[in-house]
Amino acid sequence: MKKLFLISSILSIFFMNSFSQSCLVEGITISKQSQIDAFPSLYPGCSVIKGDVTIMSGLDITNLNGLSQIKQIDGHLWINFNPQLTSLKGLHNLTSIGKHLELTNNDVLKDINAFYALIKIGTYLRIDENFMLKNLEGLNNLRTIGTDLRIMWNQQLTNISALNGIEKIPGNLVIDNNNALRNLEGLKILSACY
């Protein structure tokens, strides 16, 4: 009976630790939908990624649902050149990115609503060449950008009002060539930009 209790205790401790530990110190590069779908089974309990996350050149990537357990990325998050990706649903539990967030060249990305839990970006935020993106809803709770904010070449972007929680941008602010954007209303409470 003591052996059974000891084995049971050891297994419980093992499973508790394996589900609460950080993971992927070297980061991960994802370029296929099958990698996203397999993420929960390959990395059970992986909620804090220590390295960079690159979701790039995923010709068949249509959704990010398999990444829903991720709460924090200590490195960079790049989501670039994914021609079938229409939304970021699956990243709805992400609260913090340690370095920068880059969303570029996602031709049919229509919304970034899934970022509603995101509060902090450690360095810069870059949103470029997402031709179907109409607004930045989802970034409503974002409070901190560590350095620069760049929003360029998003042809259907009509407003940036979701950025109204950001009080300061310590680095460069570049908003250019967003042909449908008529005002900068979302930046009305910026106290400093230098």
Side-chain angles (χ1 to χ4, degrees), residues 30-134:
I30 297 171
S31 60
K32 295 181 182 176
Q33 184 66 47
S34 58
Q35 291 173 286
I36 292 169
D37 297 341
F39 190 88
S41 57
L42 292 174
Y43 307 100
C46 175
S47 62
V48 178
I49 296 180
K50 301 305 279 179
D52 300 334
V53 175
T54 303
I55 303 169
M56 188 171 190
S57 302
L59 299 180
D60 71 336
I61 293 177
T62 58
N63 71 77
L64 304 179
N65 294 338
L67 306 179
S68 65
Q69 67 199 45
I70 300 172
K71 295 179 180 172
Q72 179 179 322
I73 298 171
D74 289 347
H76 308 287
L77 174 56
W78 286 292
I79 303 175
N80 303 335
F81 299 100
N82 300 290
Q84 303 296 319
L85 186 64
T86 59
S87 94
L88 303 178
K89 186 179 175 188
L91 293 176
H92 56 275
N93 289 316
L94 185 61
T95 61
S96 173
I97 299 170
K99 294 188 180 172
H100 59 259
L101 169 58
E102 189 172 298
L103 300 168
T104 63
N105 295 95
N106 300 291
D107 297 340
V108 295
L109 183 65
K110 293 180 181 175
D111 71 72
I112 57 173
N113 294 338
F115 279 146
Y116 62 82
L118 187 61
I119 297 168
K120 178 186 176 202
I121 297 172
T123 56
Y124 70 78
L125 170 58
R126 178 180 174 194
I127 302 174
D128 290 354
E129 298 186 65
N130 300 289
F131 299 114
M132 302 297 288
L133 188 63
K134 294 185 178 179

Side-chain angles (χ1 to χ4, degrees), residues 127-147:
I127 302 174
D128 290 354
E129 298 186 65
N130 300 289
F131 299 114
M132 302 297 288
L133 188 63
K134 294 185 178 179
N135 61 58
L136 302 182
E137 294 300 316
L139 294 177
N140 306 69
N141 293 314
L142 184 62
R143 298 292 174 257
T144 304
I145 295 176
T147 58

